[in-house]
């Protein structure tokens, strides 16, 4: 007789390689203004361009769970910074400065985001709290990445 | 007749999506006690509820390689904190406080965990080292996530 | 005669699980020398042995996008550290020390790496900036992991 029909196609493997979003940016100059998003314009990594240095905001394209972290050089005054999600403060970092004692402040957070959600850093308070510093050999940075994309069962079987 | 030819190999999949564990929590008040787990009870993210604020401990459900990070506000005394894994100190962070000079201390670590392993933060030493602070606009946070799940060949083929 | 039985089911597609690279290491002693890679020789995690404590360098085997983070104890002098990628400084962290005020400094970055690329930390400047400290209950750590492996379309369909 004839050979049997071909076997079923194997199951889909395990990957997620198409779901990527990551950025890592730094300040080029001390923060110039308070109560507006901090605009990081030195790019260590921003392949998907989900961080926009014109606005200072990360904008979520792929819904899912994200990790964010920042590391700030505190000089020459106190630094009080908040991480914002859509105009709402989510987390605060405060470090006081003293003469001849430049410091480092940092924070990390994991957040579930929907497409269109925006996340950014902003000095919280008036100019006296604007001591987020950077120059050629002092960095203040902001990084984030998609940790787990939201995948519906429908997507998974597609 | 002869059996048919084998089926085509399956498409590359998107997976590991079922292997998820992540939490991001903060303090609501200054650390009240030393030499016991720090209980973070503000939840930024804890979908799988693998972090338990009743005990202050993250409990591993999915074995694998995990990333943990914490960022502490140091005020109004020194802060000395250890990351514990199952009653064993694994890593230490110490930051001294000086008047009018609130600081930020932080740490990160990657650990392989088995199901049931517990990870937490704890002030290491007496009350003089308990300066881990938080209030409405000052955060101290603890976050972690599953980076690479342990998958046995058996699991993979299942 | 009758047709043969159907062929075997195809193999499962590829998994992301084979693409793994992560390390988490700490200092055992204060940094002994400046302007050379800092050699972290306490291993919290280094399964793939992509971090080499003989050189102090992480060496990329799997091309892709990596996350790196470090947390340094600053004592008893200033600490100025740079993250290097292949003999080029990429990012700087500077924290000043003052008497009785041990500090913590930290940094994070996301970088795309090719196979063979090396990443490490190094005191930037002379001995006066070498205040990166560690002992039995004070850690200074360096961690990193592969976030998104580079997979070519060819690989994906293989
Ligand atoms: Ca300092
Ligand atoms: Ca300070
Ligand atoms: Ca301090």
């Amino acid at each position: 007789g004839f050979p049997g029909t071909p076997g079923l196609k194997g199951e889909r493997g395990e990957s997620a390689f198409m779901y990527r979003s990551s950025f890592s940016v730094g300040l080029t100059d001390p923060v110039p203004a308070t109560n507006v998003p901090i605009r990081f314009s030195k790019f260590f990594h921003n392949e998907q361009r989900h961080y926009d240095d014109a606005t200072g905001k990360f904008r979520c394209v792929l819904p899912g769970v994200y990790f964010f972290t920042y590391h700030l050089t505190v000089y020459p005054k106190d630094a009080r910074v908040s991480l914002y999600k859509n105009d709402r403060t989510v987390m605060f970092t405060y470090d006081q400065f003293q003469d001849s004692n430049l410091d480092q402040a940092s924070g990390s957070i994991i957040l579930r985001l929907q497409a269109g959600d925006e996340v950014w850093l902003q000095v919280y308070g008036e100019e006296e709290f604007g001591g987020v510093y950077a120059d050629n050999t002092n960095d203040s940075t902001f990084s984030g990445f998609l940790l787990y994309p939201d995948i519906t069962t429908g997507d998974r079987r597609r």
Side-chain angles (χ1 to χ4, degrees), chain A:
Chain A
F2 294 103
T5 55
L8 295 173
K9 185 172 179 179
E11 284 174 55
R12 181 163 202 152
E14 327 181 18
S15 125
F17 293 147
M18 67 201 71
Y19 299 97
R20 293 170 174 228
S21 177
S22 55
F23 71 95
S24 188
V25 294
L27 272 184
T28 52
D29 297 289
V31 162
T34 68
N35 293 314
V36 294
I38 298 176
R39 293 166 54 185
F40 295 86
S41 52
K42 174 157 59 170
F43 291 86
F44 301 114
H45 176 74
N46 194 29
E47 283 176 36
Q48 297 85 18
R49 300 186 181 280
H50 293 173
Y51 180 84
D52 180 2
D53 66 327
T55 62
K57 298 178 179 180
F58 169 80
R59 187 179 177 85
C60 172
V61 171
L62 301 170
V65 175
Y66 285 77
F67 177 82
F68 296 95
T69 191
Y70 50 93
H71 300 262
L72 309 173
T73 298
V74 180
Y75 175 84
K77 51 189 171 185
D78 294 359
R80 184 186 279 279
V81 166
S82 183
L83 182 135
Y84 281 72
K85 177 182 168 186
N86 298 340
D87 296 309
R88 190 171 61 86
T89 55
V90 177
M91 191 174 61
F92 297 92
T93 297
Y94 177 37
D95 196 319
Q96 289 178 312
F97 175 77
Q98 269 188 357
D99 231 26
S100 305
N101 195 356
L102 181 151
D103 281 339
Q104 291 285 325
S106 59
S108 291
I109 197 167
I110 296 173
L111 293 173
R112 168 173 291 283
L113 301 182
Q114 302 300 320
D117 281 347
E118 292 178 319
V119 173
W120 70 89
L121 297 177
Q122 186 168 312
V123 171
Y124 184 76
E126 298 313 312
E127 206 199 326
E128 64 188 291
F129 295 112
V132 179
Y133 184 77
D135 65 21
N136 281 348
T137 58
N138 287 280
D139 277 298
S140 286
T141 67
F142 182 31
S143 299
F145 57 80
L146 174 60
L147 179 59
Y148 303 130
D150 281 348
I151 305 290
T152 67
T153 302
D155 284 342
R156 234 184 256 146
R157 302 299 166 191
R158 201 161 51 196

